[in-house]
Amino acid sequence: MTQTAPTSASPGKQMLSEQVYAHLRDAIMRGEYAPGDALKPQDLAKEQGVSLAVVREALVRVVGEGLADRLPNRGFAVPALSDRRWQEIAEARRTVEPVVLRMSVERGDVDWEARVRAAHHRLARTPAYGPEEGAYYSSAWSEAHRVFHRTLLEGCGNSVLLETFDRMWTASELARRWAALRIAEQVGTDEHRRLEEAALARDADTAADLLAQHLTQTPAALTGRTHPEPTADA
């Protein structure tokens, strides 16, 4: 007697889940939910006109990106904003990304070099701010910024490390948007150019040091601190 394989979710359900996920992700990034706000599956299902199963599937994906927390016996919520959380995200990035960049510089091929140059060119030519987005970075600049940093690391050839970068970047970008500070002039243009130059010169030491400095100055500008906040209770 043969056994039938479990059936996967229907295409219709997958499409609905994707739509709810995209809606939630954009709403959180736009600040429509305040830090710490509850994300109630019943309310979201009613609002979006979908089932609870579809909403829960979308919420799990949002949690996986670091844009929501799953709280024991309390459902889901937008992450609470605190200097400590931001400093923990920054510490994680300072620990991981320079190491991955060093690997990328050592392993990247000519195609990687071309992608780095193209990504920096797009970033340098994209306005950081637009009149329709107020104090926030423009959506186009934010995406060009993400692509540049990710492209720098893609030469490492390790998909697990790149997935780790993606999650940390999303959490970092959320904190940055909540802060709503114009810091591109302080930590942007010149540092990005120097990062590109060091990477393409195959100077792994300089590239890693520059990235570590870059990832230190941004949280300092957001929190007004020059040193990371201790993660252990005093």
Side-chain angles (χ1 to χ4, degrees):
M1 179 177 178
T2 58
Q3 292 182 333
T4 58
T7 57
S8 59
S10 68
K13 181 182 177 183
Q14 289 178 339
M15 184 178 298
L16 286 173
S17 178
E18 182 68 30
Q19 290 172 353
V20 174
Y21 158 74
H23 167 79
L24 269 175
R25 189 184 193 283
D26 291 347
I28 293 169
M29 293 298 292
R30 286 195 304 267
E32 294 181 12
Y33 294 97
D37 274 359
L39 296 170
K40 300 178 181 179
Q42 295 88 343
D43 293 347
L44 290 168
K46 183 177 180 181
E47 174 190 324
Q48 296 296 308
V50 297
S51 69
L52 281 173
V54 167
V55 169
R56 289 196 179 99
E57 186 175 314
L59 282 167
V60 168
R61 289 185 63 187
V62 174
V63 169
E65 285 201 332
L67 293 177
D69 292 331
R70 190 165 195 168
L71 309 176
N73 303 317
R74 294 171 53 196
F76 301 86
V78 176
L81 177 63
S82 67
D83 284 355
R84 171 166 293 183
R85 185 182 183 92
W86 171 243
Q87 292 291 344
E88 287 176 345
I89 294 167
E91 181 180 53
R93 292 188 64 192
R94 285 195 306 270
T95 301
V96 174
E97 291 180 40
V99 174
V100 181
L101 179 56
R102 183 183 296 276
M103 294 168 59
S104 194
V105 169
E106 293 170 351
R107 298 176 180 179
D109 58 14
V110 173
D111 288 340
W112 169 76
E113 291 181 0
R115 294 198 306 273
V116 168
R117 190 171 295 281
H120 180 260
H121 180 79
R122 179 175 295 279
L123 176 61
R125 297 295 188 273
T126 303
Y129 301 104
E132 72 283 358
E133 299 190 62
Y136 293 120
Y137 291 122
S138 71
S139 297
W141 188 89
S142 293
E143 178 60 10
H145 189 214
R146 182 194 69 79
V147 169
F148 172 68
H149 276 271
R150 195 183 198 281
T151 303
L152 280 172
L153 306 185
E154 286 175 351
C156 76
N158 187 311
S159 61
V160 175
L161 288 171
L162 292 174
E163 289 168 5
T164 300
F165 164 81
D166 290 339
R167 191 179 192 283
M168 292 191 300
W169 180 272
T170 300
S172 177
E173 194 67 11
L174 178 61
R176 188 200 306 272
R177 288 189 68 85
W178 278 341
L181 295 178
R182 294 190 171 210
I183 59 173
E185 294 83 2
Q186 299 176 30
V187 300
T189 305
D190 186 56
E191 291 186 13
H192 292 141
R193 177 184 55 77
R194 290 162 62 201
L195 273 168
E196 179 208 23
E197 290 173 351
L200 297 184
R202 301 293 178 154
D203 187 343
D205 290 339
T206 298
D209 288 345
L210 285 170
L211 184 56
Q213 293 170 20
H214 185 63
L215 296 175
T216 297
Q217 293 202 26
T218 300
L222 288 171
T223 64
R225 291 183 173 87
T226 56
H227 301 287
E229 185 181 23
T231 56
D233 292 337

